Amino acid sequence: MAQDKKDFIDLNQFSKEELLSLLESCHDRKNSKKRNGHATVDDDQVGSGKILATIFEKPSTRTRFSFEVAMLQLGGKTINVSMNDMQLGRGETVQDTAKVLSRYVDLAMLRTFKHSTILDFAMNSTIPVINGLSNQSHPCQVLTDLMTVEEKLNSLDSKIFTWFGPANNMLNSWIHASDVLNFELRICAPEEYQVDDEIIKGSKSNIIKINDVNEASKNSNCIITDTWFSMGEDHEPDKEKILEPYRVDKSKIEKADKDVIFLHCLPAHRGQEVEDDVIDGPRSVVWDEAENRVHAQKAIIDWCLS
Ligand code: CP
Ligand code: NVA
């Protein structure tokens, strides 16, 4: 990685102070938008004259649109490409692609299968690189989620978070956030789909593995779930059966704190990992969470360019 550039790869690259400051910047972006009514631009125009490349190896709705809208509102432009439409799809190396794109654009966001593709791109480019989701992590989404929790519950201090469902890229980023910010994270999953001990071996005791679905959400301030089948994973009927008890339904919400909020990064598979009456219910904040992607992307872009 070039020393004079800032890559946004994972939340555990930050200290607690740095992460809280990035969160403050997310709120500032949203608040200044509110003050300006529905103005289409941010006052400081930190993206002015800059171009962001967004490169996708997997589908996306929120990440794609929110980065594009964020960059437009910051005064910059985005070039959006699917990896298959690039020579990458025909075997040109990530390393060579990174060197060439560094001559064209000012920063790049990648959504890939292998996490190592993003790391290779970052190592071989002279521009900031943003992880827009890999099989290993989804830091842009969890930064947004932390912002949403602060917005709804005022602060992250002493909050208890409960994850329902199989371990995946989203959970890994939640583990990173818990490591940095020290909040209690309960991971409620069946043994077969629990997080690997290897992943949490360096974590502090604030990460708790639990498989009792009746206990996991007790007193919880935030309940989180995600798809049971991430992009690229085979739909195994056995897995679906094993996960049935981990579906977020009203009974899990009722056991939690009375002000609990429900988060889902979306897309949701209604009736699978979550019931309609939860995602559409009074404790769900998923639409604000989705909106906040735009504000958080701006904070990330600003951080990368500063
Ligand atoms: N939550 C999220 O990253 O959504 P997309 O896959 O639509 O980008
Ligand atoms: N875990 C999901 C997140 C989608 C935003 C996936 O990787 O498909």
Side-chain angles (χ1 to χ4, degrees):
M1 174 189 326
Q3 278 177 347
D4 55 350
K5 67 163 181 138
K6 289 158 92 182
D7 298 317
F8 182 86
I9 305 292
D10 270 316
L11 297 181
N12 61 355
Q13 75 187 62
F14 296 100
S15 67
K16 181 172 181 177
E17 290 66 34
E18 288 166 344
L19 193 51
L20 291 176
S21 147
L22 193 53
L23 282 166
E24 215 175 295
S25 169
C26 297
H27 295 294
D28 287 348
R29 289 278 163 198
K30 184 163 186 174
N31 291 336
S32 83
K33 203 96 202 105
K34 274 191 203 145
R35 277 197 304 276
N36 290 344
H38 289 289
T40 52
V41 295
D42 286 51
D43 292 336
D44 57 0
Q45 294 288 281
V46 294
S48 179
K50 307 280 186 198
I51 301 174
L52 164 73
T54 54
I55 302 170
F56 289 91
E57 198 177 8
K58 293 175 173 178
S60 169
T61 299
R62 280 142 289 268
T63 305
R64 178 177 172 162
F65 275 85
S66 59
F67 265 108
E68 187 141 357
V69 169
M71 198 57 185
L72 267 176
Q73 293 183 355
L74 290 174
K77 290 197 182 335
T78 306
I79 300 176
N80 215 310
V81 210
S82 143
M83 241 187 218
N84 272 336
D85 293 334
M86 298 171 67
Q87 296 288 10
L88 267 171
R90 294 180 58 245
E92 185 170 18
T93 66
V94 172
Q95 290 83 347
D96 290 354
T97 308
K99 286 177 189 140
V100 172
L101 291 191
S102 296
R103 307 289 179 107
Y104 295 158
V105 301
D106 301 282
L107 72 167
M109 186 236 77
L110 278 81
R111 167 168 288 195
T112 61
F113 287 96
K114 288 195 216 146
H115 192 68
S116 59
T117 306
I118 298 175
L119 297 181
D120 280 351
F121 195 100
M123 287 282 289
N124 288 281
S125 63
T126 54
I127 52 172
V129 172
I130 300 168
N131 171 4
L133 181 148
S134 70
N135 283 356
Q136 197 170 302
S137 54
H138 197 3
C140 297
Q141 179 69 55
V142 175
L143 180 74
T144 307
D145 291 1
L146 296 169
M147 172 197 178
T148 309
V149 174
E150 283 188 333
E151 183 179 85
K152 301 294 172 189
L153 303 178
N154 295 318
S155 138
L156 296 162
D157 292 341
S158 326
K159 298 295 184 295
I160 300 172
F161 295 75
T162 304
W163 169 275
F164 283 101
N168 67 8
N169 47 5
M170 274 293 295
L171 177 63
N172 290 341
S173 288
W174 273 104
I175 291 170
H176 292 158
S178 164
D179 278 342
V180 175
L181 300 174
N182 268 313
F183 53 74
E184 180 174 328
L185 175 63
R186 300 176 187 162
I187 305 172
C188 186
E191 209 41 58
E192 299 89 319
Y193 300 106
Q194 255 296 358
V195 66
D196 274 355
D197 282 332
E198 194 56 29
I199 290 179
I200 53 169
K201 76 169 189 271
S203 299
K204 300 163 205 100
S205 53
N206 43 319
I207 297 181
I208 301 162
K209 295 212 273 186
I210 176 165
N211 61 8
D212 185 341
V213 292
N214 294 312
E215 286 294 317
S217 65
K218 272 191 187 157
N219 308 320
S220 186
N221 304 101
C222 179
I223 293 180
I224 317 152
T225 194
D226 183 18
T227 180
W228 291 347
F229 301 95
S230 282
M231 289 179 275
E233 278 181 14
D234 289 337
H235 190 106
E236 298 162 21
D238 285 355
K239 181 175 179 183
E240 195 171 347
K241 209 162 176 274
I242 293 168
L243 286 167
E244 287 261 322
Y246 298 82
R247 172 176 306 130
V248 179
D249 54 17
K250 253 172 125 175
S251 78
K252 295 181 180 68
I253 300 285
E254 279 160 7
K255 290 189 183 82
D257 184 84
K258 68 173 180 29
D259 296 322
V260 68
I261 56 171
F262 170 74
L263 293 176
H264 191 311
C265 64
L266 305 176
H269 305 80
R270 291 159 175 268
Q272 203 170 71
E273 74 271 8
V274 61
E275 293 286 7
D276 280 340
D277 56 4
V278 170
I279 195 166
D280 297 327
R283 306 317 311 159
S284 170
V285 296
V286 299
W287 313 121
D288 288 332
E289 181 186 2
E291 175 194 322
N292 285 343
R293 291 295 302 274
V294 174
H295 310 296
Q297 316 299 29
K298 286 184 193 172
I300 294 168
I301 293 167
D302 186 11
W303 178 84
C304 285
L305 292 174
S306 66

